[in-house]
Amino acid sequence: MLYQPVPYYLLFKPWSTATRPVFGTYLALFLIAVPSGMLTRIFEWTGIPVQLGRLDIHLTLYLPLLICVPLTLWLGYLWGAIPAYLSTFCVSLLGGMPLPWIFVFSLSNPVGLAVLALIYRSTPLRTDLRGANGLPGFTLAIFVASLAGSAGSFIWAHTNQVGLNEFFPVWQGWWLGGFLQGLVLTAPILALTTPFVLARLEAGGLRQADREPPSRRFLLAAMSTTIVLIAAFAFVVRAFSLSIASEAMATIDDPATRGGLETAIEGLSLPYWIIILVITLAAFFAYQAIVHWTARIRVANEILSERAEALHRASITDSLTGVGNRGWFFREAEESLAERAGTQFTLLVMDLDHFKNINDRYGHPTGDAALVAFAQGAATLLRSADALFGRIGGEEFAALLGGRDPAADAATAEALRAMTEAIELEMAGERVPVTVSIGSAGRAEPTESIDHLYARADAALLVAKRRGRNRLSTARAEDPSTDAGARSQARS
C-alpha cells in the first residue's frame, strides 16, 4: 500500500459502475473540506494558548487538513491540494485579506501537502501506516509538511502588519497544531480506513498493485527540499530566539552581564547548524543507499519479468516443435472468432499419415524429426497467410485462416500438403516418406464456435484418410458424424 497517485483528470471522465462510489465520496468530502476551514476563523481556533507544565505553546485547529491529508495519500497530490487551496481562499476572504495576497496565501497548505506527497513518493512508506516504518515515517513527514505550510503565517503577518508578539502564536500554532493534529487525529483515520479505500480503488481499476521506483532526480529533489525546509525552520527558530533574547537583554543595565548573555546565546545557536549538517550527511548516505537498492531491485524485477515471460511462453508453446500448443490455439481461435463475427474463417486440421508406422519402423527420434520438420515448414508457409497455427496433440496440427476467400484457403492447404510430401528425411540411407491428410471447414454461421468448427474439420479429415490419405477434404455445412469407431479406424 505504497503512495500511488491517481490522475486527477479521471474525475472529469464518465464514471463507471465501479468508480462512481469513489468519485461520489470524493466530491462529498470536497464539499465538506472547503467551507470547514471558516470554522477556524469563526471560532478563533488560531494560536490557542496551551500550558504544558512550565512551557507555554500555541496550537491551531484546522479541520480541512483532516480531509485533505488522507485524500493526498489515497488519491494523489491534486486531489487534496485543490480543496485545501479553496478552503484557505475562503478563510482569507472572510478575514478581509487583500485579494492579490489571497491567491498567494492560499498556496500555504498546498505547499505542505506537496512536501508530504514528495516524501511518500520518494520513500517506501505505507499509506496505511502499517509496518515498522509506517507511523515513524508519517510522523516525520507530517512534521516537515506542517513546517512547510506554516510559511503562510509570514504572509499573514505582512498583510496584517503585526509585531512579533502577535505573529509568534500564529506561526507556532500553525506548524505545531498541524503536526499534533496529524498525529492525534489524521493518523488513526489513515490506519483504520486506508485498507478499505485502497481496495475500492483497485476494484475500480484506479490503482495498480505496484509502482515504479523513484528516479534519482526525484530522490534528489525530495531530499533537497526536505533539507532546505529543515534549515529554514532552524533559521527562523534561531531568529525568534535572538529577537526575544534581545528584548530581554535591553532591560539589563550591566554591560558585562549583557555581553556574557549574548555570547551564551550565540553559543546555543551552534547545535542548529550541527543538526542541519548531520541531517544533510544522513540524507546523502540515505540517497546513496536508496539508489543502490533501487538499482538492485530493478535488476531483480527484470530477472523476474524475464522468468515470468519464459514461463508464460512455455505454458503456451509445444516443447518439441516450438509452435503454439493445444490450449493456446483454441483460446486464440475462440477470441478471433468472437471478435470478428461474420468474417469468413477456414479451419484446417492436419494429421501426419501413418505416423505410428514411422515410429515403429524408424524409431521415435525419427518421428520427432518428422514432426519438427512439418511444424517448421508449415509455420513458415502460414506466416504469410497471417494464420493461427498450433500442435493439437500427437501428430495432429491445426491452422485457422481468416478474412480470405475459399479458393485461397484451398490453395494454402494444397501448399501445405505439397510441402509435407517434399520433406527430405532419411534413416540409415533410406528416405522416410512423410505425407499429411488435411480436413478443411469453412465457417458455416456468423457465430459458429471453434469447437463446432473443429468438429466439422475433424470429420473432413477422417474422410480424407478414408479416401487414401495425402489429400485435402472439405467439410459440408451440416453437423459431422460422431462415429467413434470409424474415427479410430481412420486414424490408425
Side-chain angles (χ1 to χ4, degrees):
M1 294 183 177
L2 302 180
Y3 175 73
Q4 192 174 101
V6 175
Y8 194 75
Y9 67 80
L10 292 179
L11 181 64
F12 305 99
K13 287 196 169 186
W15 299 350
S16 66
T17 304
T19 60
R20 191 177 295 117
V22 174
F23 293 130
T25 303
Y26 170 73
L27 291 178
L29 293 174
F30 186 102
L31 295 175
I32 294 173
V34 172
S36 65
M38 291 188 287
L39 296 176
T40 300
R41 178 72 182 181
I42 295 171
F43 294 103
E44 297 295 337
W45 289 341
T46 302
I48 303 172
V50 178
Q51 188 169 5
L52 297 177
R54 296 183 179 182
L55 182 64
D56 292 329
I57 62 174
H58 300 84
L59 303 176
T60 295
L61 179 62
Y62 193 62
L63 296 181
L65 291 180
L66 293 177
I67 298 175
C68 295
V69 169
L71 288 178
T72 299
L73 296 184
W74 290 336
L75 297 171
Y77 172 65
L78 288 179
W79 300 86
I82 291 177
Y85 182 90
L86 295 176
S87 176
T88 309
F89 193 93
C90 294
V91 173
S92 306
L93 283 176
L94 187 63
M97 183 178 288
L99 187 60
W101 281 108
I102 289 178
F103 291 101
V104 180
F105 178 73
S106 300
L107 291 171
S108 52
N109 284 316
V111 167
L113 294 175
V115 172
L116 181 68
L118 193 65
I119 293 174
Y120 269 83
R121 177 64 184 88
S122 58
T123 60
L125 294 177
R126 293 172 59 98
T127 53
D128 59 357
L129 310 190
R130 308 291 171 85
N133 63 350
L135 185 58
F138 176 77
T139 301
L140 176 61
I142 201 67
F143 174 72
V144 178
S146 299
L147 289 179
S150 68
S153 61
F154 293 92
I155 300 176
W156 177 86
H158 174 76
T159 55
N160 288 277
Q161 298 181 348
V162 300
L164 180 63
N165 290 335
E166 294 182 61
F167 167 66
F168 183 79
V170 174
W171 172 73
Q172 187 187 63
W174 194 315
W175 71 262
L176 187 56
F179 172 62
L180 294 179
Q181 179 177 300
L183 281 185
V184 177
L185 300 177
T186 309
I189 292 175
L190 290 171
L192 293 175
T193 61
T194 296
F196 171 77
V197 173
L198 297 190
R200 297 289 298 183
L201 291 176
E202 291 179 5
L206 298 174
R207 195 173 188 275
Q208 303 300 319
D210 301 309
R211 73 173 191 193
E212 287 294 323
S215 64
R216 294 189 179 189
R217 182 177 299 177
F218 192 90
L219 288 173
L220 280 175
M223 292 183 176
S224 300
T225 301
T226 303
I227 292 172
V228 168
L229 289 173
I230 293 175
F233 172 70
F235 178 80
V236 170
V237 171
R238 178 177 179 274
F240 276 130
S241 300
L242 292 177
S243 298
I244 295 172
S246 297
E247 293 178 1
M249 286 188 295
T251 61
I252 300 176
D253 296 330
D254 184 8
T257 303
R258 187 165 57 249
L261 288 175
E262 290 176 352
T263 302
I265 291 172
E266 286 294 335
L268 291 175
S269 300
L270 183 61
Y272 288 123
W273 311 119
I274 294 176
I275 291 172
I276 292 174
L277 177 61
V278 171
I279 290 175
T280 303
L281 291 174
F284 172 77
F285 289 116
Y287 168 75
Q288 295 294 334
I290 292 173
V291 168
H292 171 72
W293 286 107
T294 299
R296 295 193 63 175
I297 291 172
R298 185 176 288 110
V299 171
N301 286 338
E302 290 175 356
I303 293 174
L304 290 175
S305 297
E306 291 175 358
R307 290 180 178 176
E309 179 64 23
L311 288 173
H312 175 67
R313 286 196 301 270
S315 69
I316 64 174
T317 304
D318 177 60
S319 59
L320 175 63
T321 62
V323 300
N325 60 22
R326 180 185 182 92
W328 171 84
F329 179 82
F330 277 96
R331 284 194 303 272
E332 293 294 319
E334 187 65 42
E335 289 181 8
S336 297
L337 292 174
E339 291 174 359
R340 300 166 64 183
T343 301
Q344 176 60 40
F345 279 93
T346 298
L347 180 65
L348 304 179
V349 178
M350 298 159 278
D351 197 278
L352 297 186
D353 297 325
H354 303 296
F355 188 73
K356 183 178 184 301
N357 294 339
I358 295 177
N359 280 333
D360 292 343
R361 181 171 180 178
Y362 301 102
H364 287 278
T366 303
D368 290 346
L371 291 173
V372 171
F374 172 79
Q376 292 177 349
T380 302
L381 193 151
L382 291 169
R383 190 174 296 121
S384 60
D386 192 24
L388 292 175
F389 175 63
R391 183 183 180 188
I392 303 303
E395 67 273 23
E396 185 175 331
F397 296 81
L400 183 67
L401 311 175
R404 306 193 312 168
D405 60 272
D409 294 339
T412 299
E414 176 57 28
L416 287 168
R417 190 204 63 76
M419 178 274 300
T420 308
E421 195 174 33
I423 291 176
E424 295 184 358
L425 193 63
E426 292 186 359
M427 180 62 182
E430 180 182 352
R431 185 178 185 274
V432 179
V434 182
T435 59
V436 66
S437 298
I438 304 174
S440 173
R443 197 177 199 180
E445 299 177 359
T447 59
E448 186 175 16
S449 68
I450 185 60
D451 291 333
H452 194 268
L453 187 60
Y454 172 77
R456 293 175 51 237
D458 191 48
L461 172 63
L462 297 180
V463 173
K465 286 181 173 291
R466 293 194 193 105
R467 291 177 178 176
R469 295 181 170 84
N470 191 22
R471 67 188 63 239
L472 167 68
S473 176
T474 303
R476 294 175 297 176
E478 54 265 22
D479 290 339
S481 169
T482 58
D483 186 349
R487 293 190 185 198
S488 175
Q489 182 179 1
R491 289 174 185 272
S492 60

